[in-house]
């Protein structure tokens, strides 16, 4: 291995060596603990430490790094106390996840490290969001994100690179090409000669670096990063290296030819650099032994600290309480005059007023800038707030949602507009696996609102008409809002933007230009999690939300003899059970109507809760009315048949007569 110091001082070379041996010695200790059953799982980075160590040594302490599970050198390079790392791996309370996640699946704002999730790809988009925040701050900071050669096949990889290139984001995309994705060799994963060549398709600068040569890593990356600070842009770097142990320790390496193992063993980054320093008389054997013994002593001392910590005792209140970031609703009462506006206008007003109120709020979506969005809700926003805060995105929902998470990590609020709620399926992973779980996992909030234009009645067919709230009400950590009136739409959207938790905000397209209401002209909020009693009666409780609220109102207007409580849920998660229960205990009958198909919908859960908690008050079965268990069709006759609206009155009358 050829080492070129390129003017680096002896002190710098020795510093890099000390940084290099520390993760190696920790790993050697971990392998012993694995065999002793004191650590449950380990993903080894032996043989590829130079990449983590070199990049971390280049970046400034306040620049974010997004590592993976073989990048121990990132964590030691940021000087995280070893006792906290050991506690994390043992599931102790002083770790970073309170025993809720393992390995390196965590982040820490204190050390500006944002760990990966097992789905790998979303962290690349998160890096885009962090870098976008840096760009908005104009602070000249660089973000580095790691991935393996296997994850370059994921769609998130391509989406994140494309966004970074289009938006000129200062992200170092690090590919650790270590030969195998678990047991699958690279020749079964891609056909290009070098993964760095993929940068060409995005108009992105790319490099290939020997990932086992610490001096090449440090000097090349130093030059690249310094250039990025003055000329912000994304750079793709492929580091050639090898994984000397199994995907994780239990998997072994029997699938790797021995001659390949032998060849890479000769390229060991620690051994080769040590020999170089000894040969150049920069390091002597006595000093080397002294440093190693000091690190081993530190490891033992910090292991003792972690081992001495008691095992976690389950606390139900704490577990449930940590799903969401605590937030007390801040009530803003309207003060100005009202004007009669459409549902769509109320949404636009809320966005404009929230953009004025929160200078760190960014809106992202397809065609939302000069065009004003598919429904013209953001028309004129570019002129008022600029393209830096009203951002057209490529068609790549997953990376855009992930970028929203990155903005939140780096001090911003994000609104992501799905052009249609149906399209959220291509952004589903980061919503349910990253945004929803991030506070529970490591106490980080996701200050992201995902706007969801949804619903049928416009003959838009199977891909533009779904009302898919049940996909998200099932997922702990998400809040789900679904207004039926302009007043609520504006107030609830403002409150959703204020809330630091991730909110799925559903906007029924049919209501956009058909429903009018008197709405205050100034800023106000409506608290999430509070239902509204629209009509009062004695005979039956009707529970509805979204367009189904208007179906119920029409039915009651046509049947004035029906004495019903009509409850508009407004928020589906958290759910206002108290209002529903109080009504059911009064009327003794309940019917729930939703636009979504029947099976697995939220009406089923509400029905079950009423049966469990209010059974003794019921004078009849709880009835559900929902759309057909089919995809939503296009032709009007078929769509009318599909929607629950046409079956609601009959079911209501049947329950009244029960």
């Amino acid at each position: 291995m050829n080492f070129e110091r390129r003017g680096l001082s002896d002190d710098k070379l020795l510093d890099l060596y000390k940084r290099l041996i520390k993760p190696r010695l920790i790993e050697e200790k971990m392998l012993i603990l694995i065999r002793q059953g004191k650590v449950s799982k380990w993903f080894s980075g032996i043989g590829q430490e130079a990449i983590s160590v070199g990049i971390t040594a280049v970046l400034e302490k306040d620049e974010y790094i997004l590592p993976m599970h073989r990048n121990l050198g990132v964590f030691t390079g940021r000087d995280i106390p070893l006792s906290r790392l050991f506690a994390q791996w043992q599931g102790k309370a002083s770790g970073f996840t309170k025993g809720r996640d393992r390995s390196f699946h965590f982040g820490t704002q204190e050390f500006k490290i944002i760990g990966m999730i097992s789905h790998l790809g979303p962290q690349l988009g998160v890096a885009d969001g962090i870098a976008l925040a840096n760009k908005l701050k104009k602070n000249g900071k660089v973000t580095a994100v790691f991935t393996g050669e296997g994850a370059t096949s994921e769609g998130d990889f391509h989406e994140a690179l494309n966004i970074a290139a289009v938006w000129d984001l200062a992200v170092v995309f690090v590919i650790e090409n270590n030969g195998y994705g678990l047991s699958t060799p690279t020749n079964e994963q891609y056909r290009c000669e070098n993964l760095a060549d993929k940068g060409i398709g995005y108009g992105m600068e790319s490099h290939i670096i020997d990932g086992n040569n610490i001096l090449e890593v440090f000097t090349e990356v130093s030059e690249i990063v310094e250039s990025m600070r003055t000329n912000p842009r994304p750079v793709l770097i492929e580091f050639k290296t090898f994984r000397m142990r199994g995907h994780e320790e239990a998997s072994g390496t029997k699938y790797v030819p021995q001659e390949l193992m032998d060849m890479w063993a000769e390229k060991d980054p620690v051994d080769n650099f040590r020999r170089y320093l000894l040969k150049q008389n920069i390091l002597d054997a006595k000093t080397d032994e002294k440093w190693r013994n000091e690190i081993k002593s530190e490891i033992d001392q910090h292991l003792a600290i972690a081992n001495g910590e008691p095992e976690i005792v389950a606390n139900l209140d704490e577990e449930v309480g940590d799903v969401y970031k605590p937030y007390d609703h801040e009530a803003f009462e309207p003060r100005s005059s009202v004007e009669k506006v459409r549902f769509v206008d109320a949404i636009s007003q809320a966005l404009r007023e929230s953009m004025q109120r929160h200078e760190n709020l960014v809106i992202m979506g397809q065609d939302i800038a000069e065009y004003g969005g598919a429904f013209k809700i953001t028309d004129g926003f570019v002129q008022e707030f600029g393209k830096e805060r009203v951002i057209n995105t490529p068609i790549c929902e997953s990376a855009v949602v992930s970028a929203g998470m990155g903005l939140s990590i780096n001090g911003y609020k994000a609104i992501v507009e799905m052009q249609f709620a149906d399209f959220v399926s291509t952004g589903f992973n980061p919503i349910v696996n990253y945004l929803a779980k991030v506070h529970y996992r490591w106490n980080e909030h996701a200050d992201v609102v995902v706007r969801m234009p949804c619903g049928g009645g416009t003959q838009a067919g199977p891909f533009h008409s779904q009302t898919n709230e049940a996909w998200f009400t099932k997922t702990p950590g998400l809040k789900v809002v679904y207004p039926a009136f302009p007043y609520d739409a504006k107030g609830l959207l403002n409150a959703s933007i204020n809330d630091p938790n991730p909110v799925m905000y559903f906007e029924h397209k049919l209501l956009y230009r058909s429903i009018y209401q008197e709405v205050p002209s100034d800023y106000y909020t409506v608290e999430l999690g509070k239902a509204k009693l629209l009509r009062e009666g004695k005979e039956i409780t009707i529970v509805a939300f979204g367009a189904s609220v208007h179906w119920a109102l029409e039915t009651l207007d046509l049947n004035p003899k029906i004495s019903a409580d009509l409850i508009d849920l407004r928020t589906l998660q958290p759910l206002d059970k108290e209002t529903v229960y109080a009504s059911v205990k009064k009327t003794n009958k309940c019917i729930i109507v939703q636009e979504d198909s029947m099976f697995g919908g939220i009406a089923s859960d509400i029905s079950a809760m009423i049966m469990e908690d209010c059974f003794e008050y019921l004078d009849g079965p709880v009835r559900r009315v929902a759309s057909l268990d089919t995809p939503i069709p296009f032709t009007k006759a078929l769509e009318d048949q599909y929607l629950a609206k046409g079956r609601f009155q009959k079911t209501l009358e049947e329950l009244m007569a029960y």
Side-chain angles (χ1 to χ4, degrees):
M1 190 175 293
N2 182 34
F3 291 101
E4 296 182 15
R5 61 189 300 170
R6 300 190 189 180
L8 296 177
S9 67
D10 288 358
D11 287 344
K12 189 61 186 178
L13 297 182
L14 293 173
D15 175 65
L16 288 172
Y17 179 68
K18 290 178 73 174
R19 290 171 175 261
L20 196 59
I21 60 175
K22 190 169 188 175
R24 174 64 63 89
L25 293 174
I26 293 171
E27 285 226 39
E28 290 174 353
K29 185 68 172 183
M30 289 301 109
L31 297 181
I32 295 172
L33 296 178
I34 279 280
R35 290 192 289 271
Q36 294 175 347
K38 296 179 180 179
V39 175
S40 63
K41 208 172 186 68
W42 187 254
F43 298 88
S44 176
I46 287 179
Q48 53 191 80
E49 297 98 334
I51 305 169
S52 304
V53 168
I55 291 173
T56 307
V58 168
L59 293 187
E60 297 171 355
K61 293 287 188 181
D62 61 349
E63 291 181 314
Y64 282 94
I65 305 180
L66 293 84
M68 290 183 63
H69 47 295
R70 302 189 201 287
N71 300 129
L72 176 58
V74 171
F75 298 85
T76 57
R78 284 282 165 92
D79 298 321
I80 293 180
L82 297 186
S83 59
R84 292 203 68 188
L85 290 177
F86 297 148
Q88 169 66 23
W89 303 333
Q90 294 178 23
K92 300 291 184 69
S94 67
F96 293 90
T97 65
K98 300 183 182 179
R100 294 167 181 160
D101 213 336
R102 63 186 183 187
S103 185
F104 294 110
H105 293 204
F106 69 90
T108 160
Q109 287 282 9
E110 180 182 358
F111 297 98
K112 293 295 183 286
I113 296 174
I114 309 300
M116 41 83 75
I117 67 171
S118 293
H119 297 70
L120 305 179
Q123 70 174 12
L124 297 159
V126 173
D128 283 347
I130 291 172
L132 176 58
N134 286 334
K135 181 177 181 179
L136 293 170
K137 295 176 184 179
K138 300 179 181 178
N139 60 17
K141 299 298 181 184
V142 172
T143 303
V145 58
F146 287 69
T147 193
E149 81 290 331
T152 63
S153 297
E154 289 192 314
D156 288 88
F157 173 83
H158 303 277
E159 292 187 16
L161 263 64
N162 190 52
I163 284 177
V166 171
W167 293 351
D168 294 318
L169 301 178
V171 181
V172 181
F173 291 97
V174 176
I175 303 174
E176 294 181 296
N177 190 342
N178 62 16
Y180 286 85
L182 208 156
S183 68
T184 305
T186 53
N187 68 325
E188 295 180 24
Q189 295 190 59
Y190 57 85
R191 279 290 179 264
C192 56
E193 182 177 355
N194 299 299
L195 289 170
D197 296 339
K198 294 193 175 188
I200 297 171
Y202 304 103
M204 185 182 297
E205 176 185 335
S206 62
H207 302 264
I208 298 173
I209 293 176
D210 180 355
N212 285 36
N213 186 324
I214 183 62
L215 292 191
E216 184 173 338
V217 172
F218 180 78
T219 55
E220 292 285 342
V221 174
S222 294
E223 186 176 321
I224 292 167
V225 166
E226 189 59 35
S227 171
M228 291 172 66
R229 291 193 179 113
T230 56
N231 177 24
R233 66 193 187 282
V235 176
L236 177 65
I237 308 178
E238 179 184 2
F239 291 91
K240 303 287 190 180
T241 186
F242 196 74
R243 195 185 71 215
M244 295 302 295
R245 303 193 70 83
H247 169 70
E248 47 88 21
E249 282 306 302
S251 66
T253 58
K254 289 184 178 180
Y255 49 84
V256 183
Q258 187 58 47
E259 59 270 21
L260 193 58
M261 294 290 289
D262 294 341
M263 181 188 78
W264 280 97
E266 294 178 3
K267 299 181 179 182
D268 183 277
V270 177
D271 292 344
N272 277 284
F273 193 45
R274 177 179 180 274
R275 284 194 292 268
Y276 167 76
L277 295 176
L278 290 171
K279 184 177 180 181
Q280 297 295 317
N281 294 319
I282 298 170
L283 175 70
D284 59 77
K286 185 176 180 180
T287 301
D288 182 34
E289 183 179 6
K290 174 177 174 290
W291 287 349
R292 288 172 179 261
N293 287 335
E294 288 173 350
I295 293 171
K296 289 177 180 178
S297 177
E298 180 187 2
I299 292 170
D300 290 338
Q301 291 172 12
H302 284 255
L303 269 174
I305 294 171
N307 290 336
E309 186 176 337
E311 298 295 326
I312 284 180
V313 176
N315 182 310
L316 182 59
D317 290 339
E318 185 177 1
E319 281 295 284
V320 175
D322 281 352
V323 172
Y324 297 100
K325 179 180 175 66
Y327 173 68
D328 293 326
H329 171 71
E330 189 176 2
F332 291 89
E333 299 296 332
R335 297 186 304 274
S336 67
S337 60
V338 298
E339 58 179 331
K340 193 172 185 179
V341 300
R342 302 169 299 177
F343 192 105
V344 70
D345 302 320
I347 295 289
S348 185
Q349 285 181 18
L351 292 175
R352 175 173 275 106
E353 291 168 10
S354 288
M355 289 285 281
Q356 292 167 346
R357 180 175 182 81
H358 302 286
E359 294 183 355
N360 65 336
L361 176 59
V362 173
I363 304 178
M364 300 183 290
Q366 295 161 24
D367 305 299
I368 68 165
E370 289 85 355
Y371 186 71
F375 301 98
K376 300 301 179 183
I377 288 175
T378 53
D379 192 23
F381 277 39
V382 166
Q383 288 80 0
E384 185 171 351
F385 304 109
K387 285 183 70 70
E388 296 81 10
R389 296 179 62 199
V390 184
I391 304 175
N392 279 336
T393 69
I395 302 176
C396 50
E397 286 81 4
S398 185
V400 174
V401 171
S402 298
M405 182 70 238
L407 281 167
S408 176
I409 286 171
N410 204 2
Y412 279 74
K413 288 178 171 288
I415 297 174
V416 177
E417 178 186 298
M418 294 292 150
Q419 198 166 72
F420 293 89
D422 313 66
F423 299 165
V424 77
S425 56
T426 56
F428 192 72
N429 178 29
I431 292 173
V432 301
N433 284 314
Y434 209 129
L435 271 63
K437 298 175 182 177
V438 70
H439 188 267
Y440 172 79
R441 288 173 52 241
W442 55 277
N443 203 39
E444 178 68 19
H445 66 275
D447 205 342
V448 182
V449 174
V450 182
R451 291 183 45 239
M452 301 278 284
C454 65
T458 61
Q459 291 79 61
F463 304 118
H464 297 78
S465 307
Q466 293 178 86
T467 172
N468 44 13
E469 68 279 349
W471 295 2
F472 305 103
T473 53
K474 171 70 178 68
T475 305
L478 298 175
K479 295 188 177 183
V480 181
V481 179
Y482 204 144
F485 295 94
Y487 182 93
D488 292 334
K490 180 175 177 178
L492 287 168
L493 183 52
N494 282 332
S496 298
I497 293 166
N498 291 341
D499 196 315
N501 293 284
V503 179
M504 306 300 294
Y505 189 89
F506 285 82
E507 307 165 10
H508 200 290
K509 307 191 306 295
L510 186 63
L511 305 183
Y512 270 160
R513 290 174 169 82
S514 65
I515 300 299
Y516 290 74
Q517 194 177 32
E518 298 286 339
V519 174
S521 302
D522 63 340
Y523 183 89
Y524 66 93
T525 58
V526 173
E527 185 175 359
L528 274 57
K530 301 294 183 182
K532 187 173 185 179
L533 185 62
L534 297 179
R535 297 277 179 93
E536 289 193 58
K538 299 178 180 179
E539 299 175 313
I540 195 166
T541 297
I542 303 171
V543 179
F545 58 94
S548 66
V549 172
H550 298 280
W551 303 343
L553 285 170
E554 290 174 20
T555 301
L556 292 177
D557 288 342
L558 292 172
N559 299 272
K561 291 183 179 180
I562 297 177
S563 178
D565 271 3
L566 173 56
I567 297 173
D568 177 6
L569 290 175
R570 303 196 295 186
T571 302
L572 308 183
Q573 189 65 266
L575 184 68
D576 186 355
K577 294 188 293 184
E578 291 75 15
T579 296
V580 174
Y581 288 178
S583 176
V584 171
K585 290 175 181 179
K586 178 183 73 172
T587 66
N588 311 122
K589 289 183 179 180
C590 183
I591 184 170
I592 308 157
V593 56
Q594 66 184 28
E595 184 176 331
D596 193 11
S597 53
M598 178 75 82
F599 191 84
I602 192 171
S604 299
D605 275 283
I606 296 172
S607 174
M609 287 188 290
I610 293 170
M611 294 293 287
E612 290 174 0
D613 299 332
C614 303
F615 180 76
E616 64 269 31
Y617 294 93
L618 294 174
D619 290 338
V622 178
R623 294 298 302 270
R624 297 169 296 153
V625 185
S627 298
L628 298 180
D629 282 322
T630 70
I632 181 168
F634 154 60
T635 303
K636 187 178 188 310
L638 295 178
E639 186 180 48
D640 288 346
Q641 175 183 254
Y642 166 85
L643 291 171
K645 180 179 181 180
R647 292 179 292 279
F648 174 66
Q649 181 169 331
K650 180 182 178 182
T651 309
L652 176 63
E653 291 171 345
E654 289 174 352
L655 184 55
M656 290 285 293
Y658 185 86

